[in-house]
Amino acid sequence: MKVYYNGSCNICNTEISHYKKNNDKINFIDISESVDDHIKHLSKKQLFRRMHVYHEGKILSGAESFLILWSKMPNFTWLSKLLSLPLLRQIWYVAYELSLIHI
């Protein structure tokens, strides 16, 4: 699994740094430094606005990418399961999009 994040964003960088300490099996890629074939089709705006995950041959972005990332991290599996519940999933998607207003 690859996680693509905006390393030039202080909030993003801080959060990903925390995840890196808790999982050495995930490949974290700072898109402000490099882009590979899995995400080169995305525009610069798309790349920098949301986190992206390449998992099982698919690119997932935004709130969905966090659910996948958390599902692979032992300390966050519960959060992924909780926020994957139908109503909570919708609330999580809205909350994620609202959080982007400040970025």
Side-chain angles (χ1 to χ4, degrees):
M1 182 167 82
K2 292 182 180 182
V3 175
Y4 301 93
Y5 70 99
N6 179 359
S8 64
C9 165
N10 290 334
I11 295 168
C12 308
N13 205 28
T14 300
E15 187 167 4
I16 294 298
S17 293
H18 175 71
Y19 296 148
K20 284 180 180 179
K21 292 176 189 173
N22 292 302
N23 195 316
D24 58 355
K25 296 178 183 177
I26 297 172
N27 187 8
F28 292 93
I29 300 169
D30 178 353
I31 58 163
S32 67
E33 295 179 1
S34 68
V35 175
D36 68 20
D37 288 343
H38 295 121
I39 59 168
K40 69 180 182 181
H41 66 283
L42 298 173
S43 71
K44 188 173 183 176
K45 182 178 178 180
Q46 289 172 312
L47 279 173
F48 281 83
R49 182 129 172 101
R50 290 178 177 77
M51 185 177 82
H52 309 278
V53 167
Y54 179 76
H55 179 65
E56 296 180 349
K58 294 186 262 182
I59 289 289
L60 303 157
S61 300
E64 186 71 25
S65 66
F66 275 95
L67 294 179
I68 296 298
L69 172 61
W70 292 335
S71 74
K72 302 300 178 192
M73 301 184 72
N75 294 336
F76 292 90
T77 302
W78 67 271
L79 184 58
S80 176
K81 288 178 182 178
L82 179 69
L83 293 178
S84 292
L85 295 172
L87 181 59
L88 293 178
R89 185 182 210 120
Q90 292 172 326
I91 293 169
W92 165 235
Y93 276 60
V94 170
Y96 181 85
E97 291 302 315
L98 289 174
S99 74
L100 297 177
I101 293 171
H102 301 289
I103 295 178

